[in-house]
Amino acid sequence: MKTSEIKELSTAEIQERIATESEALVRLELNHAVSPVDNPQSIRESRRTIARLKTILRQRQISETK
């Protein structure tokens, strides 16, 4: 998910996506621990997507307090 796509989402949608992506990341990591994942790059992509979502959410929180 690109930053421009994330900025179009509402704050509630971003929080929902963070929860969903976090659950998916946990499942990916557990599956990878048991047997190799077909695409190990997907773990990195998932972590980076979560980081992007959290960054945009934090920027919104900071801008609201000013």
Side-chain angles (χ1 to χ4, degrees), residues 3-65:
T3 306
S4 59
E5 296 171 351
I6 296 171
K7 287 181 179 180
E8 294 175 1
L9 298 174
S10 70
T11 304
E13 290 173 332
I14 291 175
Q15 291 172 340
E16 183 179 317
R17 291 294 294 260
I18 290 172
T20 305
E21 288 288 332
S22 296
E23 290 174 11
L25 177 62
V26 169
R27 274 189 256 115
L28 268 173
E29 289 174 339
L30 288 174
N31 289 340
H32 186 62
V34 173
S35 64
V37 179
D38 292 336
N39 185 7
Q41 188 70 21
S42 63
I43 295 172
R44 178 185 285 179
E45 289 174 16
S46 183
R47 275 187 298 191
R48 289 184 177 179
T49 300
I50 293 168
R52 282 188 197 103
L53 288 164
K54 287 183 176 182
T55 300
I56 299 297
L57 184 62
R58 182 69 180 141
Q59 287 174 349
R60 286 185 184 182
Q61 290 172 346
I62 290 171
S63 67
E64 288 176 359
T65 59

